[in-house]
Structure formats: structure tokens, C-alpha cells
Amino acid sequence: MAIWVTWPAWTKLGTLGIAAGLITLAAERNELLKNNMFDLEDYPKLNKHIVCDERSKSARTEDGTCNILSNPAEGSVYVRFGRNVNPTYTAGETEANTLLSPNPREVSNTLLARGEFKPAPSLNFIAASWIQFMVHDWVDHGENQSTNPIKVPLPAGDSMGSGTLNVRRTQADPSRTAADAGKVNTYRNHNTHWWDGSQLYGSSKAQNDKVRSFVDGKLKINADGTLPTELLSGKPITGFNENWWVGISMLHQIFTKEHNAIATMLKQKYPNATDQWLYDKARLVNSALMAKIHTVEWTPAVIANPVTERAMYANWWGLIGNANGRDKYQAETRKWYEDLAKTDSFLKTFLGANTDIAGTVGSGTLDHAIAGLVGSANPNNYGVPYTLTEEFVAVYRMHPLMRDKVDVYDIGSNVVSKSVPVENTRDRNAESMLTSESPDRLWYSFGITNPGSLTLNNYPNFLRNLSIPIVGNIDLATTDILRDRERGVPRYNQFRRQIGLNPITKFEDLTTEPAALANLKRVYSNDIEKIDTLVGMMAETVRPDGFAFGETAFQIFILNASRRLMTDRFFTKDYTPTVYTPEGYAWVENTTMVDVIKRHHPQLAASLVGMENAFKPWGLNIPADYEKWSAQAKADHLWVNGAQRTQYKTTMPNLVPVDIGGLISSILWKKVQTRTDVAPAGYKKPIHPYGAMAKVKFIPVANNGYTGLFQGSDYGLLRLSVTGLPSDRGFAPGLAWKALVDGKPSENVSALYTLSGQGQNHNFFANELSNYVSPEANETLGTTALFSAVSTKPTLVVMNDMAEVTQKGVAVLTPKAPTQIYFVPRPEVKTKFSTAAHDFRYDLATLGAGSKLYDVYATSMEIKTSIIPSTNLSYAQQRRASAKKIGELELTSPLIVSAFGDSGVFFKHQRYEDR
């Protein structure tokens, strides 16, 4: 039995594989809707005091009541959290049993504490701020108890000293009565459960009145664009201002401005409307806009997989609409229905092997998978009143996303102007920083820096020794562990069982990283059933492609991401131009987060050129500690933020002749002296300027006789290009391979067929390429003479450096490098493409992940040369005959054409003199 879900791999099967994944997710959602929703509230008691007035039929109320008119308390403030796990399994742990076992501070110190910062290269820091901004809308357990704290023993040698760490308990539910005796503990949400912008607007009439100006439907804001602040704390007056820091302040400020922009637009359209009407409509629009941004922008950035991208699009719009903006996947969807209509349907055959889905696959199943939730005829809670759940709270503990510091950049720069520890941006300091550094610079800075990765040992240490007024110093990581335990969130393996996932059978199912594995086993006494859910989720190294978190958190996400839309009247029955106004409805439908940023910070328009998703890194920024990163992190960063970010979507630049004048000695010296993965400022490629690039791995032949990276390289870049314009001097293919190394600079090798190329044969894979080519007397470019300015062997790129270090960054004591290496096209690509004149890049763009392009051969024979052509040829033939296969080059991504691949990436040449 496979531990992990298999649907992510189906994307490799193309569009029908994606459809199979969507159907599988829809089936899983159905199972969760049937089996994993549990209500703990007494609604008759709550409803008897609620009266839904005329306004509440078309506007969100301050306390969340009257969204569901037949059950007006549903989803409102102070309603108890529900459960996604059967309450039978949610008894809270206590000191009398397992609350302190293993010691949560030891878990924090050993498994969660950050060593070196591990970045999440596919996201920017706005994404980290955003999820906290959303959580502040969704959940709040209220102020913790001030008496009878949990006393956590401090381990020997702890940085906090000796004795105990006091952690305040979660506030008990004061609404419990004698009828609740013997039932599991319950906790109340001090926010509304609805996706209604309560972090801006508050969850009570009193708080709502504090943020409103009561003029033209607007919220209070100062003339300089800042928010009014509380006198004592210095924090803004807003709907929810706990756990405040500058990233949250930025979002509150910009969406307060967005509310007021909406109100201004509505006032112009409806000049006689009352303040209350304008406010209600602006809140509806702003809240829906934030929900849409989260659904179709933030989420696809965090779980960037073709299946989930379409699933989120389907949640909001569906995949079969034909309205403007709703037809992105229409052609693809038609192919799915065409397949289902066939007697030999791929989808029915493929999914028929899944016993949970077999017999149910048809057009109706697909309808459910791709139908939009927003705008449905009626809200649907599937028979269980809507609430957020304790398990939902548990999986959104994402504190490792936080950086240690806020790096501030000037707009357009990639040089840090100032670094401010995040703990110094809290509370009143947030507003000071927002003013002194300016929102424009901070939005740019957040846009180009990465958050932390959701993994073990990446929890910010400032959060593990955080000073809180009145409370004192706390360890938030310890608190996170205790919160799940005291609130009855089952331990990791039981949690997985209860939400329909397979339990792990051994620690190695989570990770095979030696240090992490040893620590997990020691802390949890070799018992997988003791693993805390938070730790298990962070330890999951088997994750669907593109996912920032693993499948355990995603399982809860599958249910709740849909449920909070499908149950809300203002996202279903009343998500209409009539209720929202035609102008407000259009505002939601047509606005993106990029639009919001540009509307309120027009100075950032140039920085956002080409950006479709504001939560992905803006351009490519190489931080000072880049070389210390792992090979995988560097490969992901260069690929996601460099190549993918600048991929040519429609047309490619025209091929151009070689710039002979550009082959000057200063450029050539940079090529052999500069150790970098990104082209130095001012560097231009006068030769091989255009090509295609992919991520690549080198799969070694066992005992191949060579050391270092020749024993394996899982993370690298492969660039395939031609010397210049083929019609000018013939078709001359070449490659450059960059092997990335943990904590050290990359190693590189380049290869050609010959200096003059292969004439008018435009098949890129017609001939093998090598790091050494013989000088040619009639070579028209004169590259031999030009490169002689920097090397005595101008047509040789040596590979000694590649043999001297492993991918893990370990130096090889006795290195062994080949003298000559041959990249031999595999049979499956050698004759795949036409020899006739055409743009080779279109051929390369058809090669996807998993394509094996070259068998790699190598020899250790001395490279002898002769001025006699026949003798020179004989030497070359002898070397080639002696070469043995040492491995293969396999793509781990598609080959794509991008501006970064053409002019941004840099491949160093190692000279013979530097061996």
C-alpha cells in the first residue's frame, strides 16, 4: 500500500492526466463532506435572540449573524469551532496523561528551531504576510487564561535557563452548560467564521463603529494614507490588531484604501445613496475580492500544481463558463468531455483501477469536479452548520514562513539598503517603519524576497523567545505544539487516519535526511504514534509537485477551501450584480492583487511588468547568502524566479548573427574568471545568445571511475543553443551544463560539435557534442585566435573542478576527472526533428520533464594534437574509442525559452591553466 497520494504524478500524462487528478480531488472532497464535518453548537439556544432585519438580507452583519436566514447564528462570532475529526478522537491531552510528552520545549529546540534560514524560492514575502492577514479574518480563540498556566520543564542547558516555561491555557468555553458535561472540550471563535473581512471590519458593532468614518461609506484613514492608531499601544485601530507587525500593517493599510476606492466609485455611480448603503456594498465587494485573491492567486502560488491551479479556478469560476475571463481552460475542458464520450475513454479506463472511484466516472463526475462554487443557486452546508474547525486552525500554523529580518531595497534595486529584525517591526514599530521606509519600498522589498520554507528546523528563533507585554517571554513553537494537544487535535498518524489518509509505518516515510531522522526517533522514543501533527506535517518530504506544504495539511484544505465558499450566501445565491451592484460585481471579477498594489502604489508599476501573480517573486534577486543554499534551493530559485518568471509566452526574439566585435578580451576574461550563476552587470553574450534551458539531473553509471559531481548531480541547469544565426555561418549547436552544489559555487562545462558547426543540418541532436574540439584552419569566426587571449588551449574546457566536489559540497580528497567528455544524443531524440531549416527552439520546447537527452561518455586519455590533419584525426578517434559511458542527462523540467536563459544565466569556463 502506498503511503502517499498518487494523483500529483498523473500530470505527466498531459491534459487527461490533469482531468483524472481533478476528478480524484472532487471524489475526495465528497468523502470528506460526508465523513469529516462535526458540529458542536446548540443553535436553537443561540437563534432565539437573533432578529434578521431587512438590511441583513443584502448586507453582511457586523457579528456574522443572518448569513443563513434559516439558521441565523450559523458562522457568527462566538459560535464554537467545529471538528473535521470524529469527536470520539478529540479528547484534549492533560498533564495527567500526555500533554507534556514528549516535552514540547524539547520538540521546539530539536525539531523546529531554525538553524540556517531555508527559503521558499517559489514565493515572496507578501505570501507570508497574506496568510496571517487571512487567519486574522478567520479564527481567534480569544485572550488566553491568566491563571493555572501549563508549566513546561525547561530541558537541561536550555537557552531560557532552568525551571519551567509558563504557557497560558486556551480560554475555556463559557457557554457550556450541564448538558455538555462529559462531552469533548469546546472552544469559541472570537471572530466570525465567515470570509467577511472581519480583520478589517471587526466582529462586533462596537469595533465596527471604531473603524468607520460614517461619511460616504468609507473607513477612517489619515490624510497621509496611514491608519489611525491607539493611544497606548500605537497599533492601528482596525478590526483585529493582535500579533501585529509591519507585514500585517501593509495589508491593512492597502485594503482599507481599497475599501475607500470602492466606496468612492459607488458614490460616483449612486450619488444619492446613504453612507450605510455605500459602506455595506463596499464591504461586500472588498471582502469578496480578498476571498477571490486568496482562492485564485495566493493558493495557486503556494500549491503550484496544474491540478490544484485548475481546482482553485474551478472553485471560483468553474472551468466551463464562456464569459470574458472565465474561458481560460475551456478548450482543455472540451477534450475531457470528448474523451468521456468514447467507448475506450482514457479517463474511465485509468480511473477504473481506483476502487474508490471506479463505476462513478462519467460526465456527471467531471461536472462536479469543474463546476464553480461561487455564484451557485443556493448555499450548501451538506447538512452540517458551517464553522471553521480546530483541525483547520492546526494546519494553518505556518510560522516557518516568517523571515528573521525584513530586507529593505530601493525600488528596482537588488542591493539591500537596510535589514531590520522582524521582532523590531512589531506593534507600534510597524507604523514607524511603514512611514520611515515608505510603503512603496516595503511592498517592493517584500515582493523580491522569499519567505521561509515549511519544513523542520525552520521556525524563526525570535518567535521562540518572544516578549509579550504582561505575559512575558513565550516560545511560540512550544505553544503551537501545546495548542494542538490541549484542544484535542490527534497526533499525526491518528490525524491522518481520521481524515482518510494512510498512516505512515516508519519514520523513514517522512524523511531520509539523517540528522532529522535521528532527532525524530530520539524525541519521539522511536514511536511514530507519538509524532505531533505539526511536526509530522513539517517533516513530510514527499510532497506533490509545486506544493509548499504536504498532503496532510492539503487534505483539510480540500474540504475547507470549498466549504467556506459553498456555505456562504454572499458567495452563492447572493453573489450577483443585483446584490453587489453591477459595478461592484465587476470590481471583484476583474481585479487582481497586482491591480490592488498598482492602484495604491503606482510607483511600483514598472516592477510589476509581466507579473500575473503578486505572491510569486518579482524578478530575480540573488541574496548575499545565496551560495550557502542547498543545490535544490538554488536550482529552484534560478528556475522559478529567473527562467519561468521571464519565459517568452507568445513570441521569441529573432536569432541574430554572432557579434564578433563583442568577443573582446574583457568579456572573455569574465567567462573564465567569474564564479557566479547570474550574469555580471554589463555582461552580454556575443556568441550563443539564444537557446532553451531546463532543469537537469546527471544519473551516473555505477563505478564509472570519476569523482565528485560525476558520481551524481540531481540539481542543475542545461542550456542548449546555437552559435548565432544559422543562415549566416551554418547551424552550430552547443550546450552548457551547470551542476549546483550545496553551500558552494556551481561547477560548469560547455560543449560543441565543431567550431564551424554542422552546415545546414538543423537537427539539434544530429551529432554528439564535446568539451574539446579541434582548432580549424578555415574557421571563419576566428574564435581560436580570440580565445587564445585568455588560454593556451582555447578550444578546451576542462572539468577538474567538477571532480573535486560532490553535490553535498564535500571536497574529494583524491579527485579523478576525465580529459574529454562526449554528450551523445539518445536514440529517442537523435532523429526526432527535421534537418531542414527552421527555428530549433520550437523543437526543444516540446521536450518535457523526464526526457533523457544525452548519454555521457568520458575518457582519461591525454589530449594529443598534431599539425598534420590525419594524425590529429587519429588521436581524436583513439580518444573516442576509449571513452566509456559514465551517465545520462535527464530533464527534470520542460525546456523553455526565457529572457533569463538567454541573457541572465551564466556558465563559467574552466581553463586548462586553472585545472
Side-chain angles (χ1 to χ4, degrees), residues 831-880:
T831 59
K832 183 178 177 69
F833 302 114
S834 171
T835 60
H838 66 286
D839 192 329
F840 71 102
R841 293 172 294 180
Y842 289 102
D843 294 342
L844 299 183
T846 66
L847 298 173
S851 299
K852 290 185 177 181
L853 302 189
Y854 294 100
D855 289 326
V856 182
Y857 285 72
T859 180
S860 298
M861 284 188 67
E862 178 186 359
I863 298 179
K864 295 180 181 180
T865 60
S866 172
I867 60 173
I868 302 172
S870 61
T871 304
N872 205 48
L873 176 61
S874 178
Y875 287 152
Q877 290 172 339
Q878 291 172 32
R879 290 194 303 275
R880 182 65 185 87

Side-chain angles (χ1 to χ4, degrees), residues 778-852:
N778 297 320
E779 187 256 320
T780 57
L781 281 177
T783 47
T784 303
L786 289 165
F787 274 87
S788 293
V790 295
S791 177
T792 59
K793 295 186 182 295
T795 63
L796 171 66
V797 177
V798 299
M799 299 164 290
N800 296 59
D801 286 353
M802 297 190 80
E804 293 172 356
V805 66
T806 69
Q807 180 181 287
K808 294 291 186 183
V810 178
V812 178
L813 296 179
T814 309
K816 175 69 172 176
T819 54
Q820 189 165 359
I821 194 169
Y822 305 86
F823 297 89
V824 182
R826 300 264 299 184
E828 53 263 44
V829 296
K830 186 172 179 64
T831 59
K832 183 178 177 69
F833 302 114
S834 171
T835 60
H838 66 286
D839 192 329
F840 71 102
R841 293 172 294 180
Y842 289 102
D843 294 342
L844 299 183
T846 66
L847 298 173
S851 299
K852 290 185 177 181

Side-chain angles (χ1 to χ4, degrees), residues 582-617:
E583 299 80 11
Y585 183 85
W587 191 291
V588 177
E589 290 287 291
N590 299 324
T591 299
T592 68
M593 186 65 188
V594 169
D595 295 327
V596 173
I597 296 171
K598 290 197 293 187
R599 183 173 6 260
H600 305 292
H601 301 286
Q603 297 90 334
L604 295 174
S607 301
L608 289 163
V609 169
M611 287 301 300
E612 296 179 355
N613 192 315
F615 302 107
K616 294 183 179 181

Side-chain angles (χ1 to χ4, degrees), residues 284-512:
L284 269 180
V285 171
N286 204 28
S287 299
L289 174 59
M290 289 186 282
K292 191 198 83 169
I293 287 171
H294 185 88
T295 301
V296 301
E297 297 182 59
W298 184 88
T299 303
V302 173
I303 47 176
N305 181 281
V307 174
T308 49
E309 180 185 45
R310 287 157 180 78
M312 292 300 99
Y313 192 95
N315 269 5
W316 194 271
W317 284 305
L319 300 184
I320 51 178
N322 56 14
N324 183 38
R326 293 187 175 212
D327 56 358
K328 183 175 181 180
Y329 299 111
Q330 197 176 61
E332 187 177 88
T333 306
R334 279 198 295 268
K335 292 181 181 178
W336 302 343
Y337 281 104
E338 289 168 3
D339 174 81
L340 287 171
K342 297 177 182 177
T343 56
D344 60 344
S345 165
F346 167 85
L347 287 171
K348 289 181 180 178
T349 303
F350 186 75
L351 293 176
N354 185 331
T355 55
D356 294 329
I357 303 174
T360 68
V361 180
S363 60
T365 319
L366 187 59
D367 288 345
H368 182 73
I370 67 177
L373 301 177
V374 174
S376 300
N378 286 293
N380 184 357
N381 63 18
Y382 281 77
V384 180
Y386 169 72
T387 65
L388 294 170
T389 66
E390 294 292 357
E391 290 72 30
F392 175 86
V393 175
V395 302
Y396 273 98
R397 299 191 193 283
M398 295 184 173
H399 294 110
L401 289 171
M402 291 294 289
R403 296 172 59 85
D404 298 308
K405 58 188 179 179
V406 175
D407 288 335
V408 182
Y409 297 79
D410 293 326
I411 296 173
S413 170
N414 64 355
V415 178
V416 177
S417 173
K418 177 189 292 187
S419 289
V420 182
V422 173
E423 60 264 40
N424 294 344
T425 75
R426 294 171 53 217
D427 298 335
R428 67 169 65 247
N429 292 336
E431 307 318 295
S432 299
M433 184 174 183
L434 198 54
T435 299
S436 64
E437 301 301 332
S438 88
D440 296 327
R441 292 178 77 221
L442 288 175
W443 277 101
Y444 175 80
S445 300
F446 275 53
I448 68 170
T449 52
N450 300 126
S453 177
L454 293 168
T455 60
L456 291 179
N457 295 116
N458 206 28
Y459 204 110
N461 286 313
F462 79 87
L463 291 176
R464 297 193 325 106
N465 191 2
L466 190 65
S467 177
I468 303 293
I470 301 175
V471 175
N473 284 12
I474 67 166
D475 172 6
L476 196 55
T478 293
T479 304
D480 280 349
I481 295 294
L482 285 172
R483 290 294 176 248
D484 283 352
R485 292 181 186 179
E486 70 163 334
R487 294 172 187 167
V489 175
R491 299 288 177 113
Y492 176 73
N493 238 11
Q494 184 66 277
F495 188 86
R496 286 179 62 86
R497 291 186 190 99
Q498 293 303 313
I499 60 175
L501 296 174
N502 294 324
I504 63 169
T505 60
K506 55 186 182 298
F507 284 92
E508 286 81 0
D509 289 333
L510 289 174
T511 180
T512 56

